Amino acid sequence: MRKVVIVNNYKGPVPWSNNFNCECIVYNKYNPRIEETYWKTPHENIYDYYKRLFTYPNFLEIMKPLPEEEDSNFVTNVGHETSTFFGYIVKHYDNIADMNIFLHNTPFHHCKDIIQQVNNISEPIDFIEFGTVMTSDINGGPTDTCPVGDIFHQLFPDKPIPETYYFASGSLFGISKQTVYKMGKSFFEQCVKISETMPLAPWAFERLFRTILRRLNYEKTYISNNSISSNSLFCFWMDIRSYLERKY
């Protein structure tokens, strides 16, 4: 089985990325050439690292790395980690690995033994999450505000919008080649576009990964048992009940 770990990095360092028993690719979103020019005054108080606003009409063009920078794994610093993850799938769609693990550069407060858990994966799993299981409503509440229901509707316009979403906080997950091909390349291209054009999309996708990917196949789906909240079993069984009731 070919397994690949994809890490979305902003200002690292990520020496721990060398501890996996498989190929690991680190994509760098911090580009000094761009950020020292466009993230300084007078705009430094308009947005913070987590919720950047698109303050330039040609924002995506400004943020694109130069060809020589792409060779160093620089990627456009928009869309937080989700555009990196979905963009990787689109770029490598024809030769995607059997198992693909997506992490950001600070995963340990979400899952302290993430490296061990990833290294223990020895066969493809259609969908796996690492981290504390939480719940969200269609607006990202109660812990945040983001367009969860709106994005679900964009992706599945013919499906009823779920009222509750169960997810592992931190956007740490893995999907198999089978899952990627079930969804199709155009689906992930749409996800890239949403990630890069809706400033709060990454936080919405964090809440949606489980709903939009896990729903494909319940036979080989797992939840990390390392960092689990007190209501995780309740969330798990409610998720199964929702599936059986065809709520999504």
Side-chain angles (χ1 to χ4, degrees), residues 4-11 24-30 35 49 60 63 65 72-93 96 100-105 171 173 175 188-189 191-197 201-202 205 209:
V4 176
V5 175
I6 299 92
V7 178
N8 180 78
N9 182 38
Y10 183 85
K11 286 190 173 181
C24 180
I25 305 172
V26 178
Y27 287 101
N28 297 300
K29 287 214 162 182
Y30 176 74
E35 305 224 1
Y49 163 65
L60 290 178
M63 297 306 295
S72 300
N73 280 350
F74 280 113
V75 292
T76 305
N77 190 15
V78 293
H80 215 50
E81 66 268 1
T82 54
S83 67
T84 303
F85 298 162
F86 293 136
Y88 174 86
I89 294 173
V90 171
K91 183 177 180 180
H92 298 274
Y93 185 82
I96 199 75
N100 306 272
I101 308 296
F102 298 97
L103 311 174
H104 53 68
N105 60 290
S171 296
F173 70 99
I175 55 176
F188 292 104
E189 289 173 336
C191 290
V192 171
K193 183 177 180 179
I194 293 173
S195 296
E196 294 183 347
T197 56
F205 273 116
F209 289 132

Side-chain angles (χ1 to χ4, degrees), residues 53-65:
L53 300 178
F54 297 165
T55 57
Y56 300 93
N58 56 337
F59 186 85
L60 290 178
E61 291 301 318
I62 287 174
M63 297 306 295
K64 283 184 178 179

Side-chain angles (χ1 to χ4, degrees), residues 129 133-135 164-167 210 214 218 221 223 228-248:
E129 287 182 307
V133 178
M134 302 177 67
T135 61
T164 303
Y165 302 80
Y166 304 99
F167 69 100
R210 188 175 185 182
R214 185 183 174 189
Y218 273 70
T221 298
I223 304 174
I228 300 295
S229 65
S230 60
N231 70 337
S232 61
L233 290 177
F234 169 78
C235 293
F236 175 78
W237 288 116
M238 287 296 290
D239 194 18
I240 294 295
R241 191 183 75 174
S242 296
Y243 170 71
L244 295 175
E245 292 176 354
R246 300 297 193 271
K247 288 186 178 180
Y248 59 85

Side-chain angles (χ1 to χ4, degrees), residues 121-203:
I121 297 175
S122 59
E123 62 177 12
I125 301 171
D126 288 328
F127 179 77
I128 184 171
E129 287 182 307
F130 309 92
T132 301
V133 178
M134 302 177 67
T135 61
S136 170
D137 61 26
I138 62 173
N139 297 311
T143 59
D144 210 334
T145 300
C146 51
V148 180
D150 290 345
I151 292 180
F152 180 91
H153 181 66
Q154 288 187 53
L155 296 173
F156 304 102
D158 59 335
K159 301 289 186 181
I161 300 176
E163 296 182 359
T164 303
Y165 302 80
Y166 304 99
F167 69 100
S169 65
S171 296
L172 312 174
F173 70 99
I175 55 176
S176 67
K177 176 192 293 186
Q178 182 182 12
T179 298
V180 170
Y181 288 165
K182 279 184 177 180
M183 298 305 294
K185 188 175 184 179
S186 61
F187 172 82
F188 292 104
E189 289 173 336
Q190 185 181 9
C191 290
V192 171
K193 183 177 180 179
I194 293 173
S195 296
E196 294 183 347
T197 56
M198 297 181 65
L200 296 179
W203 290 265

